[in-house]
Amino acid sequence: MKKRWSERLGFLALYLAGILVLFFLGVILFDIFVKGVGALSWEFLTQPPRMGMTEGGIFPAIMGTFLVSIITVIFAVPLGMFAAIYLNEYAQPGKMTRLIRLAIRNLSGVPSIVYGLFGVVLFVQMFKLGTSVLSAGLTLGLLTLPWTITACEEALKTVPQSYREGAFALGATKWHAIRTNVLPYAIPGMMTGVILGLSRAAGETAPILFTGAAFFLPHLPKSLFDQFMALPYHLYILATQHHAIEKVRPIAYGTALVLLGLILLLNLSAIWVRYRYRQKMRG
Amino acid sequence: MYVNEKIQETQTGTVLIKLQKPRLKEVLIEKFFLLNGLLAIVILLGIFSLLFIKGFPAIREIGWKGFFGSSVWNPNSYSTPSYGILSLITSTLMVTVGALVIAVPLGVACAAFISQVASPRIREILKPAVEILAGIPSVVVGFLGIILVNPLIAKVFGISNGLNALNGSILLAIMSLPTIISLSEDALRAVPKAYKEASLALGGNDWQTIIRVLVPSALSGIIASIMLGMGRAIGETMTVLMATGNAPALTFNFLDAIQTMTSTIAIELGEVPYNTTHYYALFVIGFVLFLMTFVVNLVSDIILQKYQQVER
């Protein structure tokens, strides 16, 4: 009798843990959606902020996040892909490979604010790029690099060994085999990882705080060396730094909703790409 | 390494194969990819050395004792600026421990639930939910900390302001839950099925099997997941910046406002002029932060490696 009770209680606790995690997510999504949806309008999405950011829209922030994400991808994806190709196709097991893998795992654990510090010194000061959308994009690129490498390597791993051997048997060189028989099959998987990395980069605030994000700009960046507004930083400003915090709360909720919507959309498209890819591999 | 070598490897001792010299182009391509692989090491060393170089002038001026022997962080004082980072370190550790107290039992229980108890349909809901939770930007979590958790804490404890270490701990727990859940689940799933079957065959019920067989067998993986969650909590910036009140103070009361290492950098780096003592001092904080997360990640890594070897 006693045992049955402990078992029931234990299972109850496990159920509760599962429900609680769902509850956390539910509260976050529900609260942001319900209170943010009222702020949404065509004007909100297409107009710059007005009247000291108490009115108007968040268009420059949306475009800024978009722009900085593109720079992030252009920088991180090729480097991540090449590193993954080395690790999965060329690297021999040994000290050097172990060291590279250790470095990648550690890089993915470096705090985002430390990447921010690194970006300030390296891109803003040493490379003299100034606080700009380019500096911020490069900093975010460094941040996403370890995730990109890992994701691309996972994708390369799913390509069967026989594809490579087939090419070798026909006399192809290593690079030829990779180019024709490995990469085409790994690209969709790589894309999934890249999109997921991108969605995390788009939501990051700490690395862009000092590398290029601007408090307020009525216009879009004119060049890569201009500062920019970004959705996460805009939300931070509206939530803590604004002179009329209570008054701009609806705009803050609206910004949070747009940011969250953007990130969920990216996540969903990653899942979609993965799904299509799996079907293709089966078919 | 090259095609022709590979052939030789597979037939060593049986057929003698003449090795062609690998073509120059192929060698160059491999070298190119190797350089990209080495980039990870270069970046890691680059972060380490740049933080150290930038922090060093401050250490030379203020001394190790000025940083680690004092708990007063007041670089803007006109008379005697002080750079004691002890209170910042304890604040960081405090919210981290607070977060783990909440997230570890919850996360491990949820992992056990997903891997052992939940029906496939519930699992299909919970697993993506955990992934989405992992993707929620920290600034959004911090925003809700201000708007939802802040009044809740103020009301429950009867205090005027709920922006304190407790608030930060709750938010950090939510931020580190996905890491702990998904990695613990992997660890629990990796326990050989025979263990579970043996326990059930000996008359253990499902609960006893989970608590006394599965969790202990997966313990190294679970601990590694906790370490990774901890690393994430230590380095998390926006949530603690927004929710902990930002008052540098040496305190162990979770209802006090605190200021962590990450928020100090985030608040002050935007305000100080480049290349001043205060500026360099922020890099010292960054360096200490980097070392802390590095050690935590390394320990987690070592545990995981060992555990994978045992599994094989």
Side-chain angles (χ1 to χ4, degrees), chain A residues 30 41 50 85 157 163 166 189 200 203 267 272:
Chain A
F30 182 81
S41 66
R50 279 183 289 115
I85 292 175
K157 269 189 198 146
Y163 286 31
R200 283 163 86 175
N267 275 304
W272 183 75

Side-chain angles (χ1 to χ4, degrees), chain A residues 106-121:
Chain A
N106 268 299
L107 275 182
S108 65
V110 171
S112 54
I113 188 96
V114 170
Y115 277 105
L117 286 173
F118 186 59
V120 169
V121 178

Side-chain angles (χ1 to χ4, degrees), chain B residues 196 199-200 204-215:
Chain B
K196 189 176 172 182
S199 163
L200 293 174
N205 60 34
D206 284 332
W207 173 245
Q208 287 168 331
T209 306
I210 290 174
I211 282 296
R212 299 201 196 147
V213 178
L214 293 178
V215 171

Side-chain angles (χ1 to χ4, degrees), chain A residues 179-195:
Chain A
R179 210 177 49 202
T180 58
N181 280 26
V182 179
L183 282 184
Y185 302 96
I187 293 278
M190 290 180 171
M191 268 187 49
T192 311
V194 166
I195 298 172

Side-chain angles (χ1 to χ4, degrees), chain B residues 153-276:
Chain B
I153 290 177
K155 207 171 164 190
V156 169
F157 293 96
I159 46 181
S160 61
N161 190 332
L163 295 178
N164 51 28
L166 178 63
N167 195 334
S169 300
I170 293 171
L171 300 185
L172 284 185
I174 294 175
M175 299 289 300
S176 50
L177 263 176
T179 311
I180 296 179
I181 293 175
S182 55
L183 289 171
S184 291
E185 196 214 327
D186 288 347
L188 283 168
R189 208 175 279 280
V191 176
K193 229 182 171 158
Y195 289 24
K196 189 176 172 182
E197 284 158 1
S199 163
L200 293 174
L202 287 170
N205 60 34
D206 284 332
W207 173 245
Q208 287 168 331
T209 306
I210 290 174
I211 282 296
R212 299 201 196 147
V213 178
L214 293 178
V215 171
S217 315
L219 199 59
S220 48
I222 292 175
I223 291 175
S225 83
I226 294 170
M227 298 293 285
L228 278 183
M230 184 175 158
R232 199 158 172 203
I234 292 176
E236 182 45 58
T237 308
M238 296 318 288
T239 45
V240 286
L241 172 63
M242 293 165 86
T244 57
N246 298 325
L250 189 65
T251 173
F252 295 99
N253 183 351
F254 272 87
L255 295 179
D256 281 345
I258 54 160
Q259 180 169 317
T260 65
M261 302 163 74
T262 51
S263 5
T264 307
I265 301 173
I267 294 167
E268 295 173 15
L269 193 71
E271 293 170 356
V272 299
Y274 285 165
N275 304 338
T276 56

Side-chain angles (χ1 to χ4, degrees), chain B residues 86-96 249 258-261:
Chain B
L86 268 187
S87 75
L88 309 179
I89 295 178
T90 55
S91 295
T92 290
L93 293 179
M94 210 165 122
V95 282
T96 303
I258 54 160
Q259 180 169 317
T260 65
M261 302 163 74

Side-chain angles (χ1 to χ4, degrees), chain B residues 16-33:
Chain B
L16 193 71
I17 290 177
K18 227 183 194 176
L19 275 175
Q20 279 180 358
K21 234 184 162 182
R23 284 191 226 157
L24 181 66
K25 187 184 156 203
E26 288 287 313
V27 178
L28 286 180
I29 288 172
E30 181 178 351
K31 289 275 179 292
F32 170 72
F33 285 129

Side-chain angles (χ1 to χ4, degrees), chain A residues 122-138:
Chain A
L122 190 70
F123 299 126
V124 177
Q125 292 186 280
M126 280 170 71
F127 290 177
K128 299 207 163 43
L129 302 175
T131 48
S132 62
V133 65
L134 184 59
S135 294
L138 294 176

